[in-house]
Amino acid sequence: RFQASTLESAFLHLCQQDLQDIGIADNNEMVLSVSVLPATESALNGQKVLNFARNVSKDHLQISVNWPSVSNISALTIKNMISFKRNLLLLFFLFISPALFAVLNCLAIGSKPRTIPVGVVNLESNCSDKSFTRTCEADMFGCYFELSLNGSEEFTVKSFSSVSQMMMEAKQASVWATFIVPQNFSVSYLKRILKKDEYAEFIYFYDILDEDLIGEDEKIYISMDMSFKPIAGFIRESLKKLLTTFQEKVRKMCADDIGDEFDGAVSFDPTASLGDKDFGFLEYIMPGDVIIPIYFMAMARTLEAFIGERSQGLLERSWIAGVLPFEILVSFILSHLFAMCIQVLIAMLTVFVVFKMPCLGHLFWYVVLILFQGFTGLCNGFFLSTVCRTASEAMLLATVNSLLAIIACGNFWPLACMQYQWMESLAWYLPHTASLQGARDITLRGWGIEAQSVRHGLGISAGWSFLFFTASWALVFRFQ
């Protein structure tokens, strides 16, 4: 009659058809009574049932427009909480999963490399005579450079006797950077930076022959493996520190020999106008490592739970019991909000207590931003579950959503590096971008709610939450 695929669907159609054909036992339960009676008695009873159904129909229509019931919301919330208890191991995993992501990121991402293999060929001297470590040897600056290179924590130095051998290993990626100290490096270096009388004194004291043939452009040749850009960036940063160390070492060792005014440095050490100069890439990406897992774990929970209720028939039973769509959505949010708060608490303890990540601003606003992001994830999951009819479709959309957020929200690469201005402007209104920047401003710059990025993060998260919740509320009626 109804061409339904399941018995529950046919029963739902029976309950929702015109009340002239249905006898209602009470406001929450409807029973269709079918009996074989004599013709006159059946007609009389049928008229009584029809009059009763019309009276109840008016009451039923009045009940359907009432405000959401607190008792219904609390009952549904308790039902959802009971479903958590059915798999305590999974519940424990949900609680600690954001903390696990934070631990993994702290251990595997953002730290500076310490074992970058580099090769060096010193054509000026083999540095076998270690006297340069005790007194100034102004014609052995290449050895001072090699000494500074060996003292660096980031590099593992391998010395070569020939350039061809070193470059062969560089082509095989056995070393990621090569340094060639030219034969007249010290003389050329001092010829550039010393005054004429000081340079003449140096030539006379060290008995330099054919100094007129030595130019001022003999510098250390450096080559790097540019196929691995992150490592190349670390090498560049380490080289700046290395050259500063080299120049300071030469100045201290040779100040008496080549003049007190000798200073090979080209700039002062940079100071931090905001943040701390010791902050690295790990501190930069840590807000994203906390916010994004909490967002998508919240989205996955509500997505799976709502679709699971539909597939198991629990949602249809709720409709029959007179539960409103708003009550169902609120009950899901309340139950999953409890789990999300525990996740945030564990993640905060892991990041700021165990790994001692810096937070120069107020931690309260940092936690509020994360809670807003988690709430947006809950509403996003509801929206996807109402748009899709199967879990596979919803997970496909969630995966695309995740990839777009990771790429476009500025977690791993600054938005200012985007090639088009309209892309940068559009990215700021994605669910995570402003919240991530606000979290960075709190932890690394010491700002609070007075910062525009923090206010935008809260406002954009609230806007997306309202949009997802309203759309879910409107779309859920098609299942009723």
Side-chain angles (χ1 to χ4, degrees), residues 229-249:
K229 285 296 182 181
I231 292 296
F234 281 119
I235 294 176
R236 289 179 182 272
E237 181 180 358
S238 299
L239 279 178
K240 292 179 181 179
K241 298 180 181 179
L242 175 67
L243 293 176
T244 302
T245 302
F246 161 71
Q247 292 165 351
E248 184 66 19
K249 189 183 296 294

Side-chain angles (χ1 to χ4, degrees), residues 53-65:
R54 287 173 178 172
N55 293 332
V56 176
S57 173
K58 297 177 182 179
D59 297 336
H60 181 71
L61 291 175
Q62 293 176 356
I63 294 174
S64 64
V65 296

Side-chain angles (χ1 to χ4, degrees), residues 67-131:
W67 290 101
S69 172
V70 177
S71 60
N72 286 350
I73 295 176
S74 61
L76 290 171
T77 303
I78 294 173
K79 173 187 69 76
N80 296 331
M81 297 293 291
I82 291 175
S83 65
F84 289 164
K85 297 180 180 180
R86 294 177 181 175
N87 196 337
L88 294 179
L89 184 62
L90 179 60
L91 182 62
F92 176 74
F93 176 76
L94 290 176
F95 286 160
I96 67 171
S97 55
L100 290 178
F101 281 111
V103 169
L104 182 61
N105 281 295
C106 289
L107 296 178
I109 298 177
S111 300
K112 295 182 179 179
R114 297 184 180 274
T115 58
I116 299 177
V118 298
V120 58
V121 173
N122 191 345
L123 301 178
E124 185 179 50
S125 174
N126 58 11
C127 303
S128 58
D129 184 7
K130 300 300 181 181
S131 61

